[in-house]
C-alpha cells in the first residue's frame, strides 16, 4: 500500500508533531483512545460466551459440539487473516505510517460488526447458528484483527526512547486493565447483569451501545499517535526495505528472544483466557449465587486494587531492577496467590486474599510486556537490518486469537461434558439459576483459579532466559550508525566482563548475519 493522496491531506494527519512523546499523546492516543475497542473486547471476553450459553441457550446445540467447534474453527480463519494483515502492514507506506492508517479503517468496522454479534434473530436453530458463525468471524477475523494488529504496533513504532516507550506501554495497558476493569468487573456484575438477566433485547441495547462507542475513540487514537520509528527511514531518504514475507517469518522464528516472547505470550494467554471464561460462572455457582450483584464485584475490587497502585509503582521498579526481573518476581507471587485461592475456593476471605496477592504479582507483566516486545523488535532489526513489525505482530496476534478460540472451545466442551445446566425464566419472567453438578463446579474452579498456578510457574522459567533489554541501548546506537553510515556513538551501559565478552561475540555474529541476509535479498 503506497502513500495515498487521501492520507496526505491535513485532515487525516497526526495531531502529534513533537519529536518526543508528549503528555497529550500519552493521555489521548494511548489511554483514552483505545478505551472504546478494548472495553468492548474485554466485555466480549467475559460475557459473549455467557450470552451464547445463557441467553441464546446454545450450550447443547449439536450435542454440545457447536460452541466447542465455533471458536476453534473460527480462529483458523482468524489466524490466516492475521498473517495477511501482518504482510500488508509491513508493505504499507503512507504519510501516516505503516500501521496507523489501518486504525482509521477499523473504526467503523469494529462498531458495525460488534452490533451484529448480538442482534441474533429469534428464529430457528439453523438461522441462529449461521448468524452466530458469520457475525463472530466478521468481528474477530476481520474487524478486530485490523484494529488489534495496528493498535498493538503503536508502542513499538512510537519511539526508540526506551523510557518514553515504557511509559507508553503503561498508559496503553491502563486502558485495558483499569478502564475495562471498571466496566467488566464492577459495573457489569453489580448493576448491568442483574438488570439484563436473560432478556435478549436488553443485551442488544447495552452491547450495541458499547460497540458504537468504540468508533469515535478509535479515531481519537488514530489522530493522537505517531510512528517515529517508521519516520526515521523516510527521514534517511527512502522507504523501509521490503523483504520477502517468508524471510521475515524465518527471522522471527529463528531468533531466541522472539521465540521466548512468543512462548511467554502463549502461556500467559492460555491462563488469562481460561480465567476470564471461568470468572462469571465461578462467581455465580462456586463462590456466590447467580447474578447476586456482589460476589464478582468483591472478587474484582479486591483483586483489582493492586492494578490501580501499579500505575505509579511498576515503571519505577522496572527502571531500577529491569523489566524482565520485576516481571519474573511478580509471577512467583502470582503462583502463590493462585495456590491460596485453590486451597479453599468457596471461602470468600481466602479467595480475596489470594486474588489480591495474584494481582500484585501480575502488575509487571500487565504493564511492561509491550515494552519488552518493543525491545525484541529492536534487537531483531539490529541483528538483520530489517524491521519485522507486521510479521512479528501477526504471529503474536495468531497466538492470541487461536488460544482464545481453543480455550473457549475446550471450556465449553468441559461444561457440556460435566452437565452444565443453563438458567431458565419462570412464569413471572424472573431468571432462575439451576443447581450445577459437582463436576461442573470443579471444572469452573480449575479454569478460574487452578490453571494459572501452573502457567505462572512456567512463565518464571521462560523469563529466566529473556534477558533482551540489557544491551538494547547499545543495539539502538548501532542501528542508528548503520542507517547513517557512521560510527556508533558511545553508550553508558554497565556490563560485567562476562557480559562484555558475550556482547562482542553477539556483535560479530550479528554482523555476519546481516551480510548473509543482504546477500540473500540480492539473489
Amino acid at each position: 500500500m503506497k502513500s495515498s493522496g487521501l492520507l496526505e491531506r491535513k485532515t487525516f494527519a497526526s495531531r502529534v508533531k513533537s519529536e518526543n512523546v508528549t503528555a497529550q499523546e500519552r493521555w489521548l492516543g494511548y489511554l483514552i483512545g483505545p478505551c472504546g475497542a478494548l472495553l468492548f473486547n474485554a466485555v466480549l471476553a467475559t460475557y459473549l460466551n455467557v450470552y451464547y450459553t445463557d441467553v441464546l441457550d446454545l450450550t447443547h446445540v449439536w450435542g454440545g459440539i457447536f460452541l466447542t467447534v465455533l471458536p476453534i474453527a473460527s480462529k483458523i480463519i482468524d489466524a490466516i487473516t492475521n498473517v495477511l494483515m501482518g504482510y500488508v502492514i509491513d508493505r504499507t507506506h503512507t504519510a501516516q505510517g505503516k500501521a496507523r492508517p489501518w486504525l482509521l479503517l477499523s473504526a467503523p468496522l469494529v462498531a458495525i460488526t460488534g452490533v451484529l454479534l448480538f442482534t441474533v434473530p429469534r428464529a430457528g436453530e439453523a438461522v441462529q447458528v449461521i448468524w452466530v458463525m458469520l457475525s463472530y468471524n466478521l468481528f474477530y477475523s476481520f474487524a478486530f484483527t485490523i484494529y488489534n494488529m495496528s493498535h498493538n504496533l503503536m508502542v513499538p513504532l512510537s519511539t526508540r526512547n526506551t523510557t518514553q516507550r515504557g511509559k507508553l506501554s503503561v498508559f496503553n495497558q491502563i486502558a485495558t486493565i483499569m478502564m475495562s476493569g471498571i466496566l467488566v468487573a464492577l459495573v457489569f456484575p453489580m448493576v448491568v447483569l442483574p438488570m439484563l438477566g436473560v432478556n435478549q433485547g436488553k443485551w442488544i441495547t447495552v452491547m450495541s451501545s458499547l460497540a458504537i462507542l468504540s468508533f469515535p475513540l478509535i479515531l481519537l487514537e488514530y489522530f493522537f499517535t505517531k510512528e517515529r520509528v517508521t519516520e526515521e527511514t523516510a527521514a534517511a531518504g527512502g522507504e523501509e526495505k521490503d523483504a520477502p514475507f517468508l524471510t521475515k517469518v524465518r527471522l522471527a522464528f529463528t531468533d531466541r528472544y522472539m521465540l521466548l516472547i512468543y512462548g511467554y505470550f502463549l502461556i500467559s494467554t492460555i491462563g488469562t483466557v481460561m480465567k476470564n471464561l471461568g470468572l462469571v460462572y465461578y462467581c455465580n455457582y462456586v463462590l456466590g449465587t447467580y447474578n447476586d450483584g456482589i460476589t464478582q464485584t468483591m472478587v474484582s475490587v479486591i483483586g483489582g486494587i493492586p492494578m490501580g497502585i501499579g500505575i505509579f509503582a511498576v515503571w519505577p521498579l522496572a527502571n531500577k531492577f529491569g523489566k524482565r526481573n520485576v516481571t519474573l518476581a511478580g509471577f512467583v507471587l502470582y503462583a502463590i496467590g493462585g495456590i491460596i485461592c485453590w486451597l479453599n475456593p468457596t471461602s470468600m476471605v481466602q479467595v480475596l486474599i489470594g486474588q489480591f496477592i495474584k494481582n500484585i504479582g501480575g502488575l509487571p507483566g500487565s504493564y511492561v510486556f509491550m515494552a519488552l516486545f518493543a525491545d525484541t523488535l529492536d534487537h531483531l532489526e539490529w541483528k538483520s537490518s530489517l524491521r519485522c513489525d507486521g510479521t512479528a505482530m501477526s504471529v503474536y496476534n495468531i497466538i492470541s486469537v487461536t488460544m482464545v478460540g481453543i480455550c473457549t472451545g475446550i471450556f465449553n466442551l468441559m461444561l457440556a461434558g460435566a452437565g452444565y445446566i443453563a438458567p431458565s425464566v419462570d412464569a413471572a419472567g424472573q431468571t432462575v439459576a439451576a443447581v450445577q453438578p459437582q463436576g461442573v463446579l470443579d471444572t469452573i474452579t480449575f479454569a478460574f483459579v487452578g490453571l494459572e498456578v501452573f502457567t505462572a510457574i512456567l512463565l518464571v522459567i521462560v523469563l529466566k532466559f529473556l534477558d533482551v533489554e540489557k544491551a538494547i541501548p547499545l543495539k539502538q546506537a548501532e542501528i542508528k550508525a548503520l542507517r547513517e553510515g557512521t560510527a556508533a556513538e558511545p553508550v553508558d551501559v554497565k556490563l560485567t566482563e562476562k557480559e562484555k565478552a558475550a556482547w562482542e561475540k553477539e556483535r560479530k555474529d550479528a554482523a555476519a548475519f546481516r551480510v548473509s541476509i543482504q546477500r540473500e535479498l540480492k539473489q
Side-chain angles (χ1 to χ4, degrees):
M1 178 179 174
K2 299 295 182 181
S3 182
S4 67
L6 180 68
L7 288 177
E8 289 174 350
R9 296 176 185 173
K10 290 184 178 180
T11 305
F12 294 97
S14 171
R15 302 303 187 258
V16 179
K17 307 300 181 184
S18 171
E19 291 299 317
N20 291 305
V21 175
T22 64
Q24 185 184 53
E25 186 177 355
R26 288 194 296 269
W27 285 95
L28 297 181
Y30 288 86
L31 176 59
I32 297 175
C35 280
L38 297 182
L39 273 172
F40 186 55
N41 187 55
V43 170
L44 294 180
T46 304
Y47 297 108
L48 181 59
N49 204 63
V50 175
Y51 181 71
Y52 289 158
T53 61
D54 291 9
V55 180
L56 300 182
D57 194 16
L58 300 177
T59 304
H60 300 288
V61 171
W62 302 351
I65 296 299
F66 175 62
L67 287 186
T68 300
V69 172
L70 168 70
I72 296 175
S74 296
K75 295 314 174 185
I76 295 174
I77 301 172
D78 205 349
I80 294 170
T81 58
N82 269 276
V83 171
L84 292 174
M85 197 63 212
Y87 178 88
V88 169
I89 286 176
D90 272 340
R91 281 157 179 75
T92 297
H93 307 288
T94 77
Q96 300 307 318
K98 62 197 294 186
R100 285 185 61 250
W102 299 102
L103 282 176
L104 188 63
L105 176 63
S106 72
L109 296 177
V110 169
I112 294 169
T113 58
V115 171
L116 292 176
L117 278 174
F118 291 90
T119 52
V120 182
R122 279 293 187 184
E125 183 179 284
V127 173
Q128 286 193 317
V129 164
I130 292 171
W131 188 286
V132 167
M133 287 192 297
L134 289 175
S135 61
Y136 192 93
N137 281 287
L138 282 173
F139 180 82
Y140 282 110
S141 302
F142 180 56
F144 196 74
T145 289
I146 295 174
Y147 172 77
N148 205 37
M149 285 281 291
S150 47
H151 162 76
N152 282 334
L153 280 172
M154 286 302 96
V155 170
L157 293 174
S158 62
T159 178
R160 296 277 191 193
N161 186 303
T162 55
T163 299
Q164 293 178 9
R165 195 160 63 188
K167 290 179 180 178
L168 287 182
S169 178
V170 171
F171 269 78
N172 201 43
Q173 286 304 102
I174 292 172
T176 304
I177 297 165
M178 295 301 296
M179 299 303 293
S180 64
I182 290 172
L183 183 63
V184 177
L186 304 183
V187 178
F188 250 79
M190 188 165 55
V191 179
V192 179
L193 281 184
M195 177 190 70
L196 296 182
V198 291
N199 186 304
Q200 186 184 10
K202 292 179 180 179
W203 275 82
I204 291 173
T205 300
V206 171
M207 296 302 183
S208 295
S209 299
L210 290 177
I212 293 168
L213 177 64
S214 68
F215 176 75
L217 292 178
I218 293 175
L219 292 181
L220 191 68
E221 181 179 2
Y222 169 79
F223 283 114
F224 288 94
T225 49
K226 182 180 177 69
E227 291 186 25
R228 294 175 181 84
V229 174
T230 306
E231 290 173 2
E232 285 178 4
T233 303
E239 290 185 342
E240 184 178 316
K241 300 174 187 175
D242 279 342
F245 176 71
L246 290 179
T247 298
K248 292 188 175 184
V249 171
R250 178 168 59 82
L251 289 175
F253 278 101
T254 55
D255 182 76
R256 72 183 184 95
Y257 289 130
M258 192 60 75
L259 288 174
L260 286 168
I261 283 284
Y262 289 152
Y264 170 100
F265 191 59
L266 172 66
I267 296 165
S268 63
T269 299
I270 291 172
T272 300
V273 170
M274 292 297 282
K275 176 184 67 179
N276 288 341
L277 287 167
L279 172 62
V280 178
Y281 300 91
Y282 177 78
C283 293
N284 281 345
Y285 298 112
V286 179
L287 194 60
T289 56
Y290 196 84
N291 283 354
D292 57 26
I294 188 63
T295 303
Q296 190 179 335
T297 301
M298 289 286 290
V299 170
S300 300
V301 168
I302 299 300
I305 286 174
M307 290 299 177
I309 299 171
I311 297 173
F312 308 101
V314 71
W315 190 247
L317 288 172
N319 261 340
K320 183 174 182 179
F321 299 106
K323 298 186 286 287
R324 186 279 303 266
N325 294 337
V326 172
T327 306
L328 187 153
F331 278 113
V332 173
L333 277 180
Y334 203 88
I336 292 171
I339 291 170
I340 291 172
C341 293
W342 205 7
L343 287 174
N344 195 356
T346 60
S347 168
M348 177 67 78
V349 172
Q350 190 162 329
V351 168
L352 293 181
I353 292 171
Q355 288 295 302
F356 186 85
I357 294 171
K358 276 184 70 175
N359 280 279
I360 289 176
L363 281 172
S366 298
Y367 284 121
V368 305
F369 171 74
M370 198 51 67
L372 275 173
F373 184 69
D375 288 347
T376 307
L377 286 173
D378 280 357
H379 157 78
L380 200 57
E381 180 184 5
W382 166 80
K383 177 182 174 181
S384 66
S385 290
L386 296 173
R387 290 293 299 188
C388 301
D389 306 289
T391 304
M393 185 55 69
S394 69
V395 178
Y396 173 98
N397 271 16
I398 286 170
I399 292 170
S400 175
V401 299
T402 54
M403 286 304 103
V404 168
I406 291 170
C407 290
T408 302
I410 291 172
F411 181 77
N412 287 329
L413 182 63
M414 291 166 65
L415 283 184
Y420 178 76
I421 306 169
S424 58
V425 179
D426 62 18
Q430 300 297 312
T431 301
V432 179
V435 176
Q436 300 294 344
Q438 186 60 45
V440 171
L441 303 181
D442 292 340
T443 296
I444 292 168
T445 300
F446 177 75
F448 183 68
V449 299
L451 181 61
E452 283 198 310
V453 172
F454 299 105
T455 58
I457 294 170
L458 289 174
L459 289 170
V460 168
I461 297 171
V462 170
L463 285 163
K464 181 69 177 174
F465 300 96
L466 188 59
D467 55 347
V468 66
E469 66 187 299
K470 184 78 174 179
I472 281 299
L474 296 169
K475 292 175 181 178
Q476 288 180 337
E478 290 206 349
I479 290 171
K480 182 180 178 182
L482 288 167
R483 187 174 64 245
E484 297 175 352
T486 60
E489 297 178 2
V491 179
D492 184 21
V493 176
K494 295 179 180 179
L495 299 175
T496 65
E497 290 303 318
K498 183 178 180 181
E499 288 171 337
K500 287 179 182 177
W503 163 242
E504 289 303 325
K505 182 179 184 304
E506 191 178 12
R507 284 186 69 198
K508 291 178 181 178
D509 290 344
F513 187 76
R514 286 193 292 268
V515 170
S516 69
I517 288 293
Q518 293 307 312
R519 187 182 300 120
E520 179 182 321
L521 294 178
K522 290 177 181 178
Q523 290 179 350

